[in-house]
Amino acid sequence: MNILKKIKSGITYCDGGAGTLLQSWGLEAGEYPETWNITKPEKIIEMHRLYLEAGANIITSCTFGANRFKFDNLEEIITAAISNAKTACEGYDAFVALDIGPLGKMLEPLGDLPFEKAVEVFSESIKIGADAGADLVLIETMNDSLEAKAAVLAAKESCNLPVFVTCVYDEEKKLMTGANPAAMIAMLEGLGADAIGMNCSLGPKQMLEIIPEFAKYASLPIIVNPNAGLPRSENGKTVFDIDADEFSDIMCEIVKSGATIIGGCCGTTPEHIRKTVEKTKELPFMLPEKKNLTVVSSYTHAVEIGNAPIIIGERINPTGKKRFKEALRENDINYILNEGLAQNKKGVSVLDVNVGLPEIDEPEMMVNVIRALQSVIDLPLQIDTVDPVAMEKAMRIYNGKALINSVSGKEESMKAVFPLVKKYGGVVIAVTLDENGIPDSAKGRVEIAEKIIARASEYGIGKNNIIVDPLAMAVSSDSDSANITLEAVKALHDMGIKTSLGVSNISFGLPSRADVNAVFYTMAMQNGLDCAIINPFSEEMMKAWHCYMALTGKDENCTDYIEFAQSLEPTEKKAEVKSSTGLDGCIISGLKEQAGAAAAELIKTMPPMEIINTMIIPALNTVGKGFEEKRVYLPQLLMSAQAAKEAFDAIKSAIPAGENKKAKIVIATVKGDIHDIGKNIVKVLLENYGYEVIDLGKDVAPEKIVKTVKSSGAKLVGLSALMTTTVPAMEETIKLLREEAPDCKVMVGGAVMTEEYASMIGADSYGTDAMSAVRYAEEIL
Amino acid sequence: MIEIIKSAAAEITIDPKEVAVYLGYYSANGIDDKTINDAITEFKTHSDFKACCVKVPVKIKENIIDLGFMQAESKSLRKNLEGCDEAYILAATTGINSQRLIEKNSVISPIKGIVTDCVGSAAIEAFCDKINLSFENSGFLRPRFSPGYGDLCIDCQRKIVDFLYANKNIGLSLTESLMMVPKKSVTAIIGIGKEKNKCRGNGCMTCKAEKCPYRD
């Protein structure tokens, strides 16, 4: 029997703790248990035998930390470990699981481990284990959803073995990096795991409380491997507070709640497993039923589609937005992030992400934006692109189960998109058009939807992972178009198919579009619309949504509606912000709004360059001088900088093209360095003084810096490094710059930098703070 | 045995004056109390204060300090640990969610970002101080000494993190260049002396960066 049949035929037992057991057999603190596979194989085999005798069906190889980061003799260790486990299993009806634990490093963007590197390192171990004859891969003790994803992808890409995944939840029922069970289930089921669950950190009592979450969302068999309670020290020895009797009693409850693959983790012994097997083997075997939920997830939570209408924020999209296009061209990720944060505040459930612009590298930009968004916003994202390369790259690094926009009824589209959805998981928006265009009847659109769903099922993608967009078309060009769309929404809804619409298309070509959109949106919701891609800054749309939710009983006690209504600004004109101190005074005092208002007023009577040269720059100089003399402190300096920026923005459009374009400066935190707060301050001030700053971010390779300097023609580079360990990367960057761009000056700064250090590594200038960077730029550019 | 310590945010007192010092206010003038206090409240709701520690024996032979799991050559650490038979090895963090908050606030505005960052620095110190207090009945504690202080090499950072299973226990990991993730984290050696030591100044004061503005 193979393991997949086994887990579907009855309760399956994993083994228990290894590290704790081996320690009691003499494993020293700080000694790696994996090395015993080679140095003391008889002990490892004995441990496996004890668990087999206790009744375990799955023996976990002693390879928890066996990865390239820890071991040079990886092949030797893993091969020996699998061989030890197989030797132990001889004569038993048991399976060998290749144990894969976390890598001990944090993935980007929070840490510095690139996603693909993680996949590569996991793959290396998994290939060796599979070749050595493991029956399945057990990815366990995962603290981070993205790392779990990397491990599953590695397993899927490097072998054909079944993949089981267990993660570590805390008392709050979350992973260390924030994901709850629903989010993990959505992601792991989407990736094609074969069984999922939890292990380590908690004892069986606390895990019992998490199982209902699994039972509610999971369709796969549930694995539960708890610790033997909490550890404490007794006469210098570590003991756990839940003995085999108590452990096995609670494990009975765990089986009754729906777990079918059970065992133990830290502190559990063969005795814990033996008693658990004895007490649970006669209990009813209940596999979770298939849930067929439509769920997307982020790195913290899942969003279920179908219960109540949800809003997908449409603002991260360059179409028709000059400023957004500019941000994309200039790689101004912060602007894009702010668009996301602002929509998040408005209460959207999902953010659409579209960064397609002919002149940029869309796949690269898509990956960068998704990664950046996922470091600050916990909403699920909708990957919106027509480029299959960008789509795959984004789906790969996306932390969770994404919404994908979109697939159509065209054969070419389905061929490109469905394999990706099958591999990476995801819910895909299916637009009802095909080679023959968009049908002009609801029936025609429903037929395309059915065709798409049927085709998806050939790839193994369920109807629940398809959301149909029956397309809203301008009612101004066809007066029946709204009726057709609404009829299609209703028909699809009645068939149990989820729907989505890009609502605002309906009003194209009409005046007062927001009013038309809001009414159409309400009508669509009434017909069963599940998702709407809308502009959440449109008050009319948000009113429509909040009112609908309140009126249909989906907003208990109208709580959200009341809060929303109270948040609406009174329609009376906002009191005009006026300043008595003049623009320069506002900047010096750091008064953002007033500075903007004062500049807007001045521009009516004064040329923009005169405002900049006679008011803004002198004011900044006054503050900068105060900072240098330690009369003004950093926060005040930054407040003035923001006020100046506000003033710039107010007059920017009046500046004739070509004027006031000061020199370009490239800035970056060097390779290996992930601290960028200092560099960001330097950026703010340089921009204030009118320089065009190309900010390459943090952890930037020397080659990339040099490439950017050459392509932009910048004559000054600012480099930042925080620790002594990253100064060599700074030195290397300077060296490369000298070779490839000899006429470019380099200024350096950062916590460990000193004048001596700077000259030792060949920098032209050392800046103690942001103002000194400005002064140096003014001196040489 | 490695002990895991968790503190509720309410138990951590972050002094706004400390935050002001990190912000570069060398005197108490001009502190915007509300901005700092709001940032402290926000930071606390995003923090997950966790630490792990273990007591190890200390053996000193000339400038070689043997802590069992690691040996290091360091005059400054020797000075710090002289007269101690034991030391606590500590790793502490404010959690990854607090790092996300700092990054988010940096996107919203540079000021918000830097204030939050400085609150984070004060928060992790406050958490370590609280842990220190709980150790006090073990003996007379020496100032916390971290890798990179004085002439103690930064490489010991990895040994401490590995030894404490800090990644598994509290979610603390190191980058290639030995920076800690989450950023607001501390690793330290805390000597347990038998008598009140003559050591003066905190760990920071033993650092060689004499021009550092945080020095008195």
Side-chain angles (χ1 to χ4, degrees), chain A residues 514 579 667:
Chain A
S579 100
I667 62 169

Side-chain angles (χ1 to χ4, degrees), chain A residues 726-778:
Chain A
T726 53
V727 173
M730 192 180 249
E731 188 173 7
E732 196 191 323
T733 307
I734 295 174
K735 213 176 135 227
L736 201 63
L737 275 167
R738 295 294 181 234
E739 284 166 19
E740 310 233 343
D743 57 345
C744 179
K745 298 275 185 197
V746 183
M747 58 181 175
V748 298
V752 291
M753 284 321 259
T754 60
E755 195 80 56
E756 299 91 304
Y757 234 174
S759 67
M760 207 170 81
I761 61 171
D764 297 298
S765 165
Y766 158 65
T768 48
D769 53 48
M771 269 320 288
S772 54
V774 171
R775 297 290 182 233
Y776 184 68
E778 293 204 305

Side-chain angles (χ1 to χ4, degrees), chain A residues 361-363 385-392:
Chain A
D361 180 346
E362 190 186 343
T385 177
V386 289
D387 177 351
V389 177
M391 191 182 275
E392 171 155 25

Side-chain angles (χ1 to χ4, degrees), chain A residues 105 112 177 639 672 674 725, chain B residues 25 100 111 175-177 183:
Chain A
K105 288 170 185 273
D112 67 338
T177 50
M639 273 155 76
I674 55 169
T725 48
Chain B
Y25 291 100
R100 287 196 182 114
I111 305 176
T175 68
E176 285 289 301
S177 44
K183 286 175 189 166

Side-chain angles (χ1 to χ4, degrees), chain A residues 23 29-33 64 69-70 102-106 109-112 141 143-144 147 170-171 176-178 200-201 231-233 236-239 266 299-300 333-334 337-338 341 344 374-377 399 630 633-636 638-640 642 671-677 680-681 684 698 722-726 754-756, chain B residues 1-4 6 20 22-32 35-36 48 50 68-69 93 95-97 99-118 148 154-155 157-158 161-163 165-184 209 211 213:
Chain A
Q23 272 162 23
E31 189 184 357
Y32 292 137
F64 179 81
F69 295 136
K70 259 191 192 160
L103 300 174
K105 288 170 185 273
M106 183 62 85
L110 295 165
D112 67 338
T141 320
N143 277 315
D144 175 28
E147 186 174 4
D170 60 17
E171 287 92 344
M176 198 116 52
T177 50
C200 209
S201 183
R232 64 174 193 278
S233 190
K237 277 194 173 173
T238 305
V239 292
C266 304
Y299 57 86
T300 55
I333 302 276
N334 259 18
L337 292 182
N338 273 308
L341 286 166
N344 191 4
Q374 289 207 298
S375 63
V376 297
I377 300 175
N399 192 351
K630 296 200 174 169
Y633 299 108
L634 184 58
Q636 291 157 316
L638 286 173
M639 273 155 76
S640 292
Q642 282 200 330
K671 176 124 193 83
D673 206 311
I674 55 169
H675 291 251
D676 60 354
I677 204 135
N680 293 343
I681 295 167
V684 170
K698 55 196 173 188
L722 179 88
M723 295 214 314
T724 46
T725 48
T726 53
T754 60
E755 195 80 56
E756 299 91 304
Chain B
M1 190 190 91
I2 298 164
E3 195 191 342
I4 297 173
K6 292 175 193 172
Y22 285 114
L23 275 169
Y25 291 100
Y26 313 123
S27 65
N29 296 329
I31 300 170
D32 176 359
T35 307
I36 294 179
D48 192 5
K50 274 187 193 164
F69 72 99
T93 182
I96 203 72
N97 210 20
Q99 180 169 329
R100 287 196 182 114
L101 177 72
I102 294 170
E103 307 218 341
K104 181 175 108 180
N105 285 348
S106 305
V107 169
I108 295 170
S109 103
I111 305 176
K112 223 171 143 70
I114 193 164
V115 172
T116 314
D117 190 84
C118 293
I154 189 87
D155 298 7
Q157 189 96 289
R158 181 150 332 267
V161 168
D162 281 352
F163 177 61
Y165 293 94
N167 183 250
K168 184 165 175 268
N169 285 327
I170 61 169
L172 196 169
S173 62
L174 296 176
T175 68
E176 285 289 301
S177 44
L178 301 171
M179 292 184 180
M180 285 185 277
V181 182
K183 286 175 189 166
K184 298 305 170 190
K211 285 185 197 155

Side-chain angles (χ1 to χ4, degrees), chain A residues 302-353:
Chain A
V303 169
E304 195 182 332
I305 292 157
N307 292 336
I310 63 154
I311 294 172
I312 301 169
E314 69 177 11
R315 301 292 297 170
I316 301 183
N317 190 324
T319 311
K321 298 193 200 88
K322 199 176 145 214
R323 178 68 187 88
F324 199 100
K325 285 180 185 160
E326 199 179 298
L328 284 178
R329 275 187 223 110
E330 290 171 2
N331 200 25
D332 184 356
I333 302 276
N334 259 18
Y335 177 82
I336 300 170
L337 292 182
N338 273 308
E339 282 289 305
L341 286 166
Q343 293 183 85
N344 191 4
K345 252 186 161 172
K346 289 284 177 190
V348 307
S349 294
V350 175
L351 286 178
D352 183 78
V353 183

